[in-house]
Each structure stands twice: as C-alpha cells, then as structure tokens.
Amino acid sequence: MTTKRTARLAGITLASAVWLVSLAYVRTAEAQDMSAGGLAPPPPMAPAQSQAPAASETSQDLDDAKKSDSGRGLEWFYLEAEGGFQHVGLRTFNIDEQSFSAGFIETQANGPVIGAGLGVRLFFITLGARGRVGFFNSWDLFSVGGELGLHLPLGNLEPHFELGGGYTALGSFKSALQSGAAATALQNTQIHGFYVRAQAGLDYYITPIFSLGVSASAEVLGLTRPGLDPSKVTEIQSDPSLTSLQQARAEVLKAEGSSYGAAVTGTAVLGLHF
C-alpha cells in the first residue's frame, strides 16, 4: 500500500509541475504576441519639474509687460495747467472787415496765453473742460468750453488728440480804441460768440501722477458785435480827434457786426493724474 500511495503522489506532483510549466509558457507567448502587434504598456509619466520652464516663461512675459507700461495703472481724474503763445485773426474768414470793427478794433494780435483743464478719464477716453485767456495789446480773448480726448499710452509717452468747443469773448479793450469817445462806447459792448477747437499733444509721465507735455491747437472763432445805440455813435462822430473817414465809418457801428476768425496756440502743459 505504501508503495502504491507513494507512486500516486509522485504522479500527481509531476503532473502539477508540467501544468505550471505549460501555463508559464502560454503566458510568455501571449505577451510576445501583444508586443509584436504594436501593443505596449504606456511610458512612465514625465516628472513634475518638466512643467517649470513654461511657468517660468509666463512669469517673464508678465514682468516684461509690467515694465513696458511703466506700472502707471488706471487713471480716473486729471488736472492741467498750461502756458504759451497765441496768434488770433478775428477776420480770417471775413471779406469785409469794416462791418465788424469799422476800423476801431484791431483784428489781429499775438501774445501770451494761459489756461487750465480738468476732467475724467476712462481707459483711452477723456471728457473734460478747459479755459484759456490770451493777453494782447488791443484786448484780451477769453474762452471756456468742453472737450473730448483720445489718449494712446506708449509707456511713459502718451500722444493725445482732442476736439472741443464752447464760449469765447473779447474784453479789456485797450489800445485798439482810437479815441476817448470810442473807448467809452465800446468798453461796455459785449463782443462774444463761439469757438471750435482741434488739438494734439504729447505728454511724458515723470511719475504715475505727474506729467510734462506740449500741445498745439487750431480753432475757428465766430464773434458777434451788437449794434451801438445811435446816441453813442453820435458821440464818437463828434470826437474832434477822429478824421473825417473815421467819423464816416462810425456809422457802421449802429448795426450788428459778425466776424469769423481763427486762432493758433502752442503751450507747455503740466499735468496731475489720479
């Protein structure tokens, strides 16, 4: 019995070994067939540090952009003061000078000008108001009105363009008056009208809130002189210091006169930005 049991156990063990060897062979063959058919396990994932160069490049681009815009940030309000030179021709577009001035008011002048502006800004667009006073030998020219601007930030430099319009008037008559009688009559006369202005300039931002710049503008002036009371005209004509030609021209002052002129202005500008 013992010999038969031993032989049986040996046979079972041998059969098991053969089965295991056959199974291992079959698995190996299947693995080789998969590789031969183009199937292979995926490659290992790249280490996390491979993403670092892309992040570094993005950070560098942001730094460069920050340097290029000078770090000025957004601007909401501005204040400006300006001063420069102005040329005015009250009859640039008029054929008949006498209907407006009758020779008693000089119609061309050159002199200094000062002004101030303020307003609000939204990105590239500004909306504000500006006033100017030009000082001339014959009279002074006042103007105040609104303007719409377009600004193009280029780092610290900023070109800009404006269109504006408003009210303008002549005042403080001086040597333009030819006599005491004419001075008395015309001093209380309100010569006023409108202006339309186109302007271009360039600002340099020394700091985010302080700028220096220059500007040049051209404008059309429309002025109206009301007619004088006939009694005032009679006083002018009776002035012995006037020539007979001037006395005859004074008759024109009874009627209202109009003038369409032009002004050209160049200024230096100081700006505050908030």
Side-chain angles (χ1 to χ4, degrees):
M1 285 293 289
T2 304
T3 302
K4 290 181 179 182
R5 183 177 294 177
T6 301
R8 183 181 296 175
L9 290 174
I12 293 171
T13 302
L14 179 60
S16 299
V18 172
W19 181 80
L20 290 174
V21 171
S22 299
L23 181 60
Y25 176 77
V26 171
R27 293 292 178 86
T28 303
E30 289 178 351
Q32 291 176 348
D33 289 342
M34 289 177 65
S35 298
L39 298 176
M45 294 182 64
Q49 56 268 27
S50 64
Q51 302 297 326
S56 178
E57 291 178 3
T58 302
S59 178
Q60 183 63 40
D61 291 342
L62 291 174
D63 290 342
D64 292 342
K66 187 174 181 180
K67 291 178 181 178
S68 65
D69 68 7
S70 304
R72 283 166 46 191
L74 292 177
E75 176 183 334
W76 300 104
F77 305 97
Y78 66 90
L79 295 171
E80 292 181 344
E82 59 180 341
F85 181 82
Q86 186 174 59
H87 167 77
V88 178
L90 297 181
R91 61 183 187 90
T92 304
F93 305 105
N94 279 58
I95 298 176
D96 184 9
E97 175 185 358
Q98 299 305 320
S99 64
F100 176 72
S101 67
F104 291 91
I105 302 172
E106 292 186 12
T107 57
Q108 289 195 38
N110 301 291
V113 62
I114 60 173
L118 69 144
V120 297
R121 174 167 177 167
L122 182 60
F123 299 108
F124 307 125
I125 303 299
T126 57
L127 180 63
R130 187 172 301 275
R132 283 177 174 171
V133 182
F135 302 95
F136 307 102
N137 291 331
S138 304
W139 30 257
D140 297 336
L141 180 66
F142 306 87
S143 65
V144 60
E147 61 184 18
L148 178 67
L150 173 64
H151 294 245
L152 305 175
L154 301 174
N156 287 348
L157 287 176
E158 187 169 282
H160 55 88
F161 308 90
E162 289 85 20
L163 292 175
Y167 174 83
T168 188
L170 291 183
S172 301
F173 292 98
K174 293 167 262 188
S175 63
L177 305 177
Q178 300 298 317
S179 70
T184 302
L186 293 176
Q187 186 64 47
N188 298 321
T189 301
Q190 298 295 320
I191 300 178
H192 57 88
F194 68 89
Y195 75 89
V196 178
R197 177 184 300 147
Q199 178 172 284
L202 180 66
D203 293 334
Y204 179 78
Y205 279 71
I206 298 176
T207 72
I209 64 170
F210 181 68
S211 66
L212 293 175
V214 293
S215 71
S217 66
E219 55 196 272
V220 175
L221 306 172
L223 296 170
T224 298
R225 175 192 56 76
L228 294 183
D229 184 273
S231 62
K232 297 294 184 182
V233 175
T234 301
E235 291 179 10
I236 295 174
Q237 292 175 327
S238 62
D239 191 329
S241 66
L242 297 180
T243 65
S244 58
L245 178 60
Q246 289 173 326
Q247 292 173 348
R249 286 178 176 176
E251 191 71 21
V252 176
L253 297 177
K254 292 180 180 179
E256 180 182 278
S258 62
S259 173
Y260 294 94
V264 179
T265 308
T267 61
V269 184
L270 303 178
L272 293 176
H273 311 269
F274 308 97

